[in-house]
Every structure is written in C-alpha cells, then in structure tokens.
C-alpha cells in the first residue's frame, strides 16, 4: 500500500488551491463539503468561482499564488492545468509545509483524493493508487446505489443518541441495540419522518434496557485446511460476530485475519502456551467466556468433528445449559485429495474410506490392520508423522505390499502445499523432513504421477 487512507480533520483549517478553471472547480466541489477555510488563487477566475466567493464559501485572490500564501496551510492543490505553474506551486507549498496535490499528476502529488461516497457522517473513500480510475468509479456507482440516501440522517440521529445509549451495558447488549436501530427500527421509523426516528430510539432503548443480558453461546467452527476461500459462509459470519475466538495452532493466520477486529483472540495451540494447553484448561476457558454472556467461537482446523476433541468440549458445556452449535468445515483429507487430483472413493477400487489417526493421547494407535492391508484399501491418516514407521511395520506384517502407494500432503490448500508421492516401503524416510501439518493418503498416488509414469513407460 503506497497511499495510506486517513480522514483529515479540516474544520477551521486553511486549504489553498491555485487555479481558476474547470479542474479547480471540480476539486472545490469536494472541498466545499468540508469545514475548511478555503483560499483560491487565480488570475482569471471562472464565473462560478466569483459566485462562490460572493456567497462567502471561499476567499478568492485574483492573482497568482506567491510565497507566504501556503503558510499555516494543511492542504495545497495545484489545479492550473499548466505543468510549469503547477510545478512552481508544488515547490512553494512544499517549502511552506503544506501537503501538496497536483491535479491529475500522481507522480508530483504527496497525497491523492479518493473517489468519495458521501452520506455524511458516513464517508466511503475509494482509492486505486491511480491504477484504475474506471474501477473506482464503478465501485462508487455501486455503493451510491446500495447505500440509501437517508443513511447520513439516520447516522446523525444515532450519533446524537450515543450518550443516552451508554445506559446499556457495554459489549454485546449495546451493540445489539445499535444493530437494531441501524438495520431494523431506524430505517422503518425514518421512512415516516425524522421526528419519528428520534422517538423510535427512545422506545427501542427502553425495550433493550428491559431485556436481561442474554446467555452466551458457543459455536464450534470448522476453519477448514487453511485457505480462507474454503471457509463456509456460516463460518465467515460466525467470525464476523464473535466476541471471543478460541483457536488452535492449526488455524491459518489468513483465517484469523478475518475475525472481527474487536474480538478477543485466544491461542490454545501447543506453541501459544508453552508445551501444550491441557484439554481441561481449554474446556474451562470456553465455559468461562460463555458464562459471561459472550458469543464464543471455538475455531478448529479442518472439521471440528474430526480429531478435534469436540465431544469433550461439548460435554464440558452441557451442565451449564450453554447453547452450542457446530459449523462443519472442510477436513484436511478432502483438501489433500483435491491437491493430488484424486477421488477418495472410486467404483471398483474402494467402497470404503477410513479416517485414521497415527497416534492419540495414549501413543500410537492400533487399527484394523488386516482390512487396511488388503489391496485397494484407502485411508486418510492424520497426525502420522511420528508414527510412520509404526504404521509401515504393522501394515507390512499384515501383508500389505511394500509397493502400495502413499501420498503425503503437507500444508494442503495453503500456498506452501507439498505433495510427496512414495510407497509404503519408503514412507518413514519421506515423512522425516516435514515441518507443517501433513495428512497421508494411503492407497492413493497423485493423478499426475500416474500420467507421468505411463509417459515414461511409453518412451
Ligand atoms: N480437525 C482437523 C484435524 C485435526 S488433527 C481436520 O478436520 O482436518 C491435526 C492433523 O490434521 C494434522 O496432524 C494433520 O495430519 C492434519 N491436517 C490439518 N490441516 C492440514 C493441512 N492443511 N494439510 C495437511 N494436513 C492437515
């Protein structure tokens, strides 16, 4: 981001503009919306400029700008449509400490004016760093249509009521009140007139004050394998509305970025709390926040119902009567299968698909090795990095072919995805150098690899 958007307070501040033609008038149309003290320098001002000066909206100096004109000036505009004159203005204004904008000259400007959607006090500024004015205009048009003209008035009425609304407890209760005003009651009442909207606020406040604070709720949300595009719409909404987000280390930073800015983020990953946050401590944390009446999101990598210790957390909440819901996510196996272009089930190959874990809290896990060793069986194996040698030993002991395909997919769906195609015989060596989360697709080879092998055989 080369240009950082900010809103500058121009109330009573001096703004100087050099130029008396169309470009100057175009800039003034925007500047006149502010409460700045505007000075215009033009040897031959446009008639409209004379009119603006007469009505007292600005001070017109019927001469070229000179040294001293930009002292104590916040913003200076060069709108002469004349390169030499604008260059002179830039030097003058810069020397006197003003921030300079030369109309239609990005290179010589210290700041640029965005496209503006004005529903004062709601102002939307759109910038493209000068790269795509057409795009900026299209976005502006779109927003102009979408934001009702009454939004400004609605907001001004709301603003005047802020002190009264402070009677509501801070946090969710107060936010709910404002959401009710802006999205339900306010627009309805305003349609019947301005006074109506003010009265509606009084009634609305009384109603919200009477309501006891709602009990909290916990949403168990699947964050998917890492790519934010793979979040469900429901997960997006939950992240938008959450007051507290308790997340695992597996959840990618790109997804955490999407959370509500004010949300309290609690990391319960292995990295966050020394060695590891004990499950009991996580349970207690969720219960504590929910009992305070907060909207809690328990954010888990992949799908919360797959190796996510979901039941333990649900059971911890149950005695407290806290409402819960589960929003499923895309599990790592699905993302890994997508990365290698394969289906997890296939007619004639496997009618059954297994999800296994390499280890659990007790150590390496025993499985139905006999069934897994049969040709054509497919399994997605989670948390198998450490247990690769154990897996290999057990499977071969039960008759699995050493040549059985295994594909290791590390960081599935993330920019640093790695696909390592190997065989059961070479599996332990393959998993040795992995640092990110990895899922093993037992019985599957990448579709590309198969094509490449055939190609080699044909040559
Ligand atoms: N609930 C998660 C699994 C949690 S167990 C899910 O549904 O995906 C943690 C294991 O998931 C990791 O050890 C790894 O095997 C796997 N995993 C999670 N995210 C992954 C990713 N982006 N790529 C590959 N494996 C991943």
């Amino acid at each position: 981001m080369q240009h950082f958007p900010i809103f500058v307070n121009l109330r009573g501040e001096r703004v100087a503009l050099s130029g008396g033609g169309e470009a100057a008038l175009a800039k003034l149309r925007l500047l006149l919306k502010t409460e700045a003290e505007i000075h215009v320098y033009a040897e031959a001002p446009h008639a409209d400029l004379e009119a603006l000066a007469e009505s007292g909206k600005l001070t017109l100096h019927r001469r070229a700008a000179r040294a001293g004109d930009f002292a104590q000036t916040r913003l200076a505009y060069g709108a002469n449509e004349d390169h030499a004159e604008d260059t002179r203005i830039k030097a003058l204004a810069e020397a006197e400490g003003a921030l300079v904008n030369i109309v239609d000259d990005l290179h010589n400007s210290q700041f640029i004016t965005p496209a503006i959607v004005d529903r004062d006090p709601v102002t939307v500024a759109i910038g493209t760093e000068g790269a795509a004015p057409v795009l900026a205009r299209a976005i502006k048009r779109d927003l102009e249509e979408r934001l009702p003209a009454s939004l400004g008035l609605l907001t001004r009425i709301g603003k005047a009521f802020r002190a009264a609304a402070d009677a509501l407890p801070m946090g969710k209760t107060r936010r709910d009140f404002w959401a009710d005003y802006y999205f339900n009651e306010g627009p309805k009442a305003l349609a019947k007139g301005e006074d109506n909207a003010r009265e509606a606020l009084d009634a609305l406040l009384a109603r919200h004050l009477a309501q006891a604070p709602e009990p909290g709720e916990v949403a168990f949300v699947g964050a998917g394998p890492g790519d934010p595009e793979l979040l469900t719409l429901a997960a997006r909404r939950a992240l938008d509305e959450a007051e507290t987000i308790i997340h695992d280390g597996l959840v990618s930073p790109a997804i955490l970025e999407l959370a509500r800015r004010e949300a309290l983020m609690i990391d319960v990953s292995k990295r966050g709390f020394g060695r590891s946050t004990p499950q009991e401590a996580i349970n207690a944390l969720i219960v504590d926040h929910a009992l305070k009446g907060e909207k809690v999101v328990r954010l888990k990598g992949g799908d919360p119902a797959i190796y996510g210790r979901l039941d333990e957390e649900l059971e911890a909440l149950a005695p407290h009567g806290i409402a819960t819901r589960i929003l499923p996510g895309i599990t790592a196996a699905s993302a890994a299968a997508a990365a290698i272009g394969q289906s997890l089930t296939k007619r004639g190959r496997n009618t059954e698909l297994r999800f296994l874990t390499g280890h659990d809290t007790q150590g390496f896990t025993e499985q139905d090795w006999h069934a897994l060793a049969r040709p054509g069986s497919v399994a997605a194996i989670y948390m198998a990095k450490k247990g690769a040698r154990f897996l290999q030993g057990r499977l071969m002991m039960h008759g699995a072919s050493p040549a059985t395909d295994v594909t290791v997919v590390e960081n599935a769906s993330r920019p640093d995805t790695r696909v390592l195609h190997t065989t059961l015989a070479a599996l332990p060596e393959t998993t040795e150098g992995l640092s990110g989360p990895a899922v093993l697709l037992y019985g599957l080879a990448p579709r590309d690899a198969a094509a490449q092998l055939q190609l080699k055989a044909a040559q």
Side-chain angles (χ1 to χ4, degrees):
M1 201 189 283
Q2 192 186 338
H3 291 87
F4 182 64
I6 56 170
F7 291 90
V8 180
N9 183 358
L10 288 182
R11 172 175 286 176
E13 296 291 343
R14 195 181 151 96
V15 171
L17 183 143
S18 163
E22 291 296 341
L25 280 167
K27 271 286 164 295
L28 283 168
R29 266 192 286 279
L30 289 178
L31 287 169
L32 285 168
K33 290 173 183 282
T34 71
E35 296 165 46
E37 184 194 302
I38 301 173
H39 290 260
V40 177
Y41 298 88
E43 275 175 333
H46 191 286
D48 290 359
L49 265 174
E50 297 279 7
L52 285 169
E54 247 161 61
S55 64
K57 298 220 165 74
L58 50 81
T59 309
L60 182 58
H61 306 265
R62 289 171 193 77
R63 59 168 174 79
R66 57 182 177 233
D69 287 342
F70 300 99
Q72 318 294 321
T73 301
R74 271 267 184 279
L75 305 179
Y77 285 87
N80 295 286
E81 300 166 86
D82 169 342
H83 184 66
E85 179 61 1
D86 280 340
T87 307
R88 189 182 72 87
I89 294 301
K90 177 176 150 93
L92 265 182
E94 234 176 66
E96 289 174 12
L99 267 182
V100 186
N101 173 272
I102 304 298
V103 172
D104 287 337
D105 187 350
L106 185 66
H107 181 69
N108 279 308
S109 295
Q110 293 170 318
F111 71 95
I112 49 180
T113 320
I116 292 171
V117 180
D118 175 15
R119 299 286 185 278
D120 184 46
V122 178
T123 313
V124 185
I126 305 153
T128 61
E129 307 258 10
V134 174
L135 186 59
R137 273 197 291 277
I139 296 170
K140 175 176 154 72
R141 226 178 8 253
D142 186 36
L143 288 172
E144 290 285 5
E145 279 170 22
R146 224 175 313 167
L147 301 178
S150 58
L151 185 67
L153 182 55
L154 191 68
T155 314
R156 282 196 295 279
I157 295 171
K159 192 177 171 191
F161 201 75
R162 284 194 81 84
D166 286 352
L168 287 165
M170 233 166 76
K172 184 180 179 317
T173 319
R174 206 181 292 172
R175 275 200 306 278
D176 283 351
F177 164 78
W178 284 117
D180 214 358
Y181 169 66
Y182 280 109
F183 304 116
N184 299 322
E185 298 294 330
K188 262 191 267 166
L190 195 57
K192 293 187 215 139
E194 203 174 318
D195 290 340
N196 222 294
R198 286 203 185 86
E199 283 161 24
L201 267 173
D202 286 325
L204 194 64
L205 180 61
R207 208 164 74 219
H208 279 257
L209 278 171
Q211 275 167 8
E214 290 168 37
E217 59 158 53
V218 180
F220 291 88
V221 177
D227 180 354
E229 295 281 331
L230 295 181
L231 277 174
T232 62
L233 293 174
R236 260 318 283 261
R237 195 167 318 122
L239 286 176
D240 261 358
E241 293 169 0
E243 291 168 289
T244 300
I245 298 177
I246 302 175
H247 65 89
D248 291 343
L250 258 188
V251 178
S252 72
I255 285 172
L256 295 178
E257 281 276 339
L258 296 174
R260 239 186 76 220
R261 243 166 72 185
E262 305 87 318
L264 171 67
M265 310 289 283
I266 304 176
D267 183 349
V268 290
S269 68
K270 305 212 156 126
R271 279 158 285 162
F273 276 55
R275 255 196 80 240
S276 149
T277 313
Q279 188 61 44
E280 291 70 16
I282 298 176
N283 296 351
L285 202 61
I286 303 172
V287 170
D288 275 1
H289 282 275
L291 284 179
K292 280 191 215 154
E294 293 170 15
K295 268 193 181 167
V296 180
V297 161
R298 173 70 176 105
L299 191 62
K300 291 169 180 284
D303 181 81
I306 295 183
Y307 303 127
R309 303 185 74 169
L310 174 64
D311 297 81
E312 295 164 57
E313 295 176 11
L314 283 170
E315 280 157 24
L317 288 164
H320 302 279
I322 295 161
T324 58
R325 57 197 178 116
I326 301 171
L327 306 182
I330 292 180
T331 192
S334 299
I340 67 164
Q342 291 289 15
S343 171
L344 286 168
T345 60
K346 185 179 181 181
R347 220 146 41 98
R349 182 191 64 202
N350 65 314
T351 53
E352 181 187 75
L353 166 69
R354 284 160 192 257
F355 289 88
L356 316 180
T357 170
H359 59 83
D360 61 17
T361 50
Q362 313 299 318
F364 297 145
T365 50
E366 291 297 345
Q367 311 285 352
D368 182 355
W369 303 113
H370 191 68
L372 279 165
R374 273 202 295 269
S377 79
V378 173
I381 311 178
Y382 291 67
M383 296 177 277
K385 276 190 284 187
K386 272 191 244 147
R389 194 167 292 283
F390 170 80
L391 262 166
Q392 179 203 44
R394 284 287 200 275
L395 282 163
M396 304 235 288
M397 200 165 81
H398 286 80
S401 159
T404 307
D405 284 309
V406 184
T407 305
V408 182
V409 183
E410 185 188 25
N411 293 316
S413 90
R414 300 182 186 209
D416 48 353
T417 305
R418 269 210 304 170
V419 173
L420 305 168
H421 177 207
T422 184
T423 57
L424 189 54
L427 179 63
E429 290 73 31
T430 311
T431 54
E432 248 160 37
L434 297 174
S435 54
V439 86
L440 311 190
L441 297 176
Y442 171 77
L444 291 180
R447 185 172 296 277
D448 285 348
Q452 277 162 18
L453 277 180
Q454 275 165 17
L455 211 79
K456 271 206 188 116
Q459 275 167 3

